[in-house]
Every structure is written in structure tokens, then in C-alpha cells.
Amino acid sequence: MMGRQTGGQDRLFYAFDLDAIVPTNHLLRGIDKFLDLSALRQHLSSFYSYTGRPSVDPELMMRILIVGYAFGIRSERRLCEEVRLNLAYRWFCRLGLEDPVPDHSTFSVNRHGRFRDSGLFRHVFESVLARCMKEGLVSGEGFAVDASIIKADANRQRGVPGTQEIDWNDPALTTRPVREYLAALDEAADGASPRKPSKRISLTDPQSQWTAAPGGPAFYAYSANYLIDLNVGVIVDTETTTALRTDEVAVSKMMIERVADRFGLRPKRLAADTAYGTAATLAWLVEDKQIAPHIPVWDKSEGKDGLFGRSDFTWQAATDRYLCPGGTSLQRYRRTFKKKRTGITKDNTIIYRASKYDCMICPLKPQCCPRTPSRKIARSIHEEARDHARALAKTPAYEQSRNDRKKVEMSFAHLKRILKLDRLRLRGMSSANDELLLAATAQNLRKMAKLIWRPPKNDGIIAPA
Ligand code: SF4
């Protein structure tokens, strides 16, 4: 049976009113103003029995978790202790002076049980986002997307090479993160082709990815992905993935679609870094979603060592060929085939080749193709989308987006430095996702409190009645 918190602050057993003690300009007062958990009991009702011993009030647990993520209190044991002792935390959690604080073990039971099954953390994140929209902080005109590596709660020493056989039935390894990892493997085996094994696999959190920042030591990590609105940097969606660029790009598309479905937000522009500038992603944005990609084009075709790059060749759409600096053409086919060919490679490119007889006698050959008989150019089947992104990169709006993109980087800096989430507290992909949803909820609440809330101008203490 779902319990309800009894007692409360209206019972003045003591000599002072808790509400009068908490400073009027305390950040939690601002957060409380924008946090509405009235729909939470309804959302969870089917996950509780109507009989039996009353549980801890889920709203109380959610408020305690929000305190933890908003103030960077990493341990649930310490969080419960802080709520027990801190009057402002007690006030925010609707606890009276003598009300007991739930035991820290209650949180892990509910996190991995009802809260996860019911999608509670996403429900609360979305209700806070809806409030941000209601307060006019989300314009929906432009979004930015980015990913940041967050260390997993996995010791570097507790891992084995990815190619090594692991006996997952070993009782010492039958933990919840391992069970989740094996379930994810089974799911993946039904769909796409198997992935290349990771260099190392953690035995404590096998879903984390062995990764390294440039120049630093390798460690196990996840990727935190944020989609933010460019107006004031409200986080409109978040998702955790493995720390692989392909997964980060794939989830960015999923987040854009989810925000459109859930809130009807369809941005006109998307700002992102080069990792998102692949031909397929640009084509998806331009052709499928009609979103202007303010993204640098992922391009390896520019010339190195002073050699001609692709931009030195002129595309002639009408005749389906490139014109080289020497004045000759690069064509898709140089002979006729009995069976018609598309000429599209498995990388979704079309190869245009110059004639080796033209190149052989060309005075520009040392600058063009000194080590091959003739020059060839790979053109993506999405080249028009790439050209569109290149053209946008010369506009003032793109320059504006480049500056605006810093807002998503600032959100990650805030997440890691202020909320102290530079290392995850829980193991497994789903727990990492729960943590990120809670942290993003806390960030959006803090943003509303900072930008909209205006505390009364006095000494911060309400005089007791
Ligand atoms: S080497 Fe060949 S492709 Fe390059 S400029 Fe000369 S003719 Fe054109």
C-alpha cells in the first residue's frame, strides 16, 4: 500500500515554526516554488499494493533525492544524515522537526524497483521541463547537443581484456549491473550486427566503456548526452550512452524526435561540434527534419601537405562530374558496363576518377596526385546536405550558434563542478541514466530559481508570528 507522510509542519509541538527559520532567500525556497509533484502519486499508483504496510511516501523520497542532486551530496547515507540535521532540507522535504528520515537503504530498493519500472525520474524531469516552458524559458527556436564523458563507478584494476572469455555464471559476478549487461547483449543479438569487443571490460560495471581523454589515462566511463534549448540553456532532454561517438550521434537524433513528440518542440537550427557533422546526420537534419545544421562538416577530403583538396575541384551537377584545376573532368564511370552499376560504395560515397592519361601529362600532378597514377574524389550521396552545412557556416547565424553552443558546455561544467557528478554513484546503464535525469532535473530547477524567482528583500528571516 502506498503510504502517506503523516504529521508535518502544521503541528507546532515545538517553540518555533520551521518555515520561519529557513531564510527567505534560500535556494531551496526558489526550487520549491517551481517543483510540483502533485501528479507523482497518481503516476505511481499502479506500482503499489492497496494492502499491506504503508511504504515511505514516494514524494518524500523524491524530494530527498532532489536535495542530493541539487547540492552535490553524493552518498545516500550522508544525504539522509544531512536531511535529518539540516532545517532547510527538512522544510523542503515537508518533514517536521521530529519526523523520522527514511533509511538510506530504502532508496536503492525503490530506485531499482518501482521508480525504474514506472519511469518516475523521466516523469519528474518532464514535469519540470513543462514548467520551464510555461515560465517562458524555452523558445524552441534553436537547440544544441553535446556529450561529455563521466567516469563510471568501476575500478580500473577490476577489468579484463575485451577478447578474454569471461564466466559470467561465476557467483562472484552475478550482480545487478552484470545481469543488466547480459540482458542488453541478448537484446542486441536480436538486432544489429555484433560490435567489435571493447579493449577492456569491467567486471563490476560491464556496460561502461574503457575510454581515455586525449593525453590522459584510460578509465571506465559512460557518455552523458544533453540536448539544450539555446534561449537560456534549459536541458530539454538527456540520455546516457556508452562512450562511443556513434552512440552519441544516434541518441541525439532520438532525443530530437522525443522532444518533438512529447512537447511539440521542433527547432529551426541545431548547434553541435564536428562529431555530429557526418554526412548521414546532416542529411537527416536537412532533408528529414528541416533543421538548419549549424555544425562543422566532418571532412577528411581537404588537402594535406599543400596538395589540392576537394574544394579545389568544381562540382558540375548537370553533367555529374568534377572539373579539376587542370581543366579536365573526373567522372563516375570511364567505361560502359553491361550490367548497370550504381557506383555507390559501402561508405555511401561515389568515386569520381580522372583519366590517368590526362594526369600523366599534367604539370599540376605533383600538387594533385604525386603518388598515384590519377586523381580520384569520393563524393558522399549526402553531399548536398554537406554543401548546405558548408554554406551555413559562412553566415552570421552560424557564428551566433557557435557562441550559443557554449551553453551546453557550461551545463556539463556545472554538472561536474557544482553538482559534483564527475563520477557516477551507481553502476549499470539504467542507473547512470537515472542519475543523469535527476541531475538534469536539479539543474533545470536551479535555473528557474535563479532566473525567475525573486526572493523578498529583507534580512532573509521571516519574523515569527
Ligand atoms: S593531375 Fe589530373 S586531376 Fe590533377 S589537375 Fe592534373 S589532370 Fe587534373
Side-chain angles (χ1 to χ4, degrees), residues 106-118:
T106 318
F107 289 93
S108 58
V109 171
N110 281 284
R111 265 181 196 277
H112 306 310
R114 296 183 185 107
F115 286 6
R116 180 161 306 151
D117 297 342
S118 66

Side-chain angles (χ1 to χ4, degrees), residues 308 313 323-330 354-356 358-369 373-376:
F308 291 145
F313 293 72
L323 200 63
C324 75
T328 64
S329 65
L330 284 76
S355 158
K356 71 175 179 181
D358 290 336
C359 294
M360 239 164 29
I361 54 166
C362 177
L364 297 173
K365 192 168 188 299
Q367 286 166 266
C368 189
C369 48
S374 66
R375 179 67 190 248
K376 60 181 179 184

Side-chain angles (χ1 to χ4, degrees), residues 12 19 70 74 92 117 138 175 188 235 245 254-255 280 283 304 308 313 363 458:
L12 299 176
D19 187 49
R74 291 183 56 87
F92 179 76
D117 297 342
V138 178
T175 57
I235 301 160
R245 190 187 296 133
M254 191 266 273
M255 290 193 293
K304 288 181 195 149
F308 291 145
F313 293 72
N458 60 12

Side-chain angles (χ1 to χ4, degrees), residues 118-351:
S118 66
L120 178 67
F121 298 122
R122 180 152 289 279
H123 166 79
V124 175
F125 170 77
E126 290 187 350
S127 67
V128 170
L129 174 59
R131 183 63 187 262
C132 290
M133 291 170 68
K134 194 175 159 204
E135 297 292 340
L137 294 185
V138 178
S139 72
E141 184 271 330
F143 285 175
V145 69
D146 204 356
S148 183
I149 302 279
I150 299 192
K151 281 184 186 167
D153 182 27
N155 191 320
R156 297 179 68 225
Q157 314 304 327
R158 283 275 295 150
V160 294
T163 48
Q164 186 177 313
E165 281 287 321
I166 304 168
D167 178 15
W168 293 113
N169 293 320
D170 181 348
L173 296 180
T174 50
T175 57
R176 181 193 50 78
V178 168
R179 284 196 298 278
E180 284 182 15
Y181 166 70
L182 295 175
L185 279 187
D186 286 346
E187 212 172 287
D190 297 340
S193 52
R195 283 189 164 180
K196 210 172 111 186
S198 172
K199 206 167 177 189
R200 287 187 71 77
I201 291 187
S202 165
L203 297 177
T204 43
D205 188 354
Q207 279 181 295
S208 61
Q209 179 77 26
W210 181 249
T211 187
F219 51 86
Y220 295 105
Y222 287 94
S223 258
N225 296 270
Y226 271 1
L227 182 68
I228 66 152
D229 181 80
L230 288 176
N231 184 22
V232 294
V234 167
I235 301 160
V236 293
D237 206 350
T238 178
E239 194 71 39
T240 308
T241 57
T242 46
L244 294 172
R245 190 187 296 133
T246 46
D247 286 358
E248 292 165 1
V249 172
V251 90
S252 68
K253 294 180 186 173
M254 191 266 273
M255 290 193 293
I256 288 169
E257 287 185 329
R258 184 162 56 193
V259 170
D261 289 347
R262 305 281 300 149
F263 295 97
L265 293 172
R266 290 180 177 79
K268 291 189 178 66
R269 58 183 169 124
L270 179 75
D273 62 26
T274 320
Y276 299 84
T278 57
T281 306
L282 294 174
W284 181 81
L285 286 169
V286 175
E287 290 158 20
D288 294 4
K289 299 291 165 189
Q290 288 78 49
I291 297 172
H294 289 187
I295 303 172
V297 176
W298 177 269
D299 205 344
K300 291 191 279 185
S301 62
E302 275 317 301
K304 288 181 195 149
D305 308 328
L307 300 180
F308 291 145
R310 216 246 308 276
S311 56
D312 296 307
F313 293 72
T314 312
W315 170 243
Q316 297 192 318
T319 51
D320 186 26
R321 63 183 65 192
Y322 278 98
L323 200 63
C324 75
T328 64
S329 65
L330 284 76
Q331 296 166 211
R332 191 192 287 220
Y333 308 112
R334 291 218 153 257
R335 65 187 175 96
T336 46
F337 296 96
K338 274 188 197 159
K339 197 176 165 192
K340 203 165 168 21
R341 298 183 178 192
T342 63
I344 299 172
T345 67
K346 65 178 172 28
D347 292 332
N348 281 334
T349 57
I350 299 166
I351 309 293

